[in-house]
Amino acid sequence: MNLTLVILISILVVWMLAAGWCGLMRRYGGFVLVLLAGLALNWAWMIWGLGAKPLERPVFMAQAAATGYAVCAFLAGWLAGRIARELRANRPD
């Protein structure tokens, strides 16, 4: 595995953790900022790193996939937060 791939995977992991944390803490505005930052980085990589044209179909598909990943991470965090809050509310004292 080369260094570029390690860096890209690391950025994706950090981005997914940030989206999940926004869901966990119910930070909807923060999620929008995380989503837009991730989409901007993805778009920049596709355009300048891979040499794709901005309005090509693969660029749109990659952006749709990234949006889906972020929404899934957000919903997983939201669900985990909801379960944790419910367990805290129902614990015996």
Side-chain angles (χ1 to χ4, degrees), residues 5-71:
L5 189 57
V6 170
I7 291 170
L8 289 173
I9 291 171
S10 300
I11 291 171
L12 176 65
V13 167
V14 169
W15 185 56
M16 298 291 285
L17 288 172
W21 181 83
C22 287
L24 183 69
M25 297 296 159
R26 294 186 294 185
R27 307 263 189 227
Y28 304 109
F31 171 69
V32 170
L33 291 176
V34 167
L35 176 65
L36 292 177
L39 290 177
L41 287 173
N42 188 37
W43 184 80
W45 167 248
M46 297 284 290
I47 302 305
W48 292 303
L50 298 177
K53 294 188 176 31
L55 299 177
E56 285 182 345
R57 187 167 191 252
V59 173
F60 288 123
M61 295 302 291
Q63 293 294 73
T67 302
Y69 293 150
V71 169

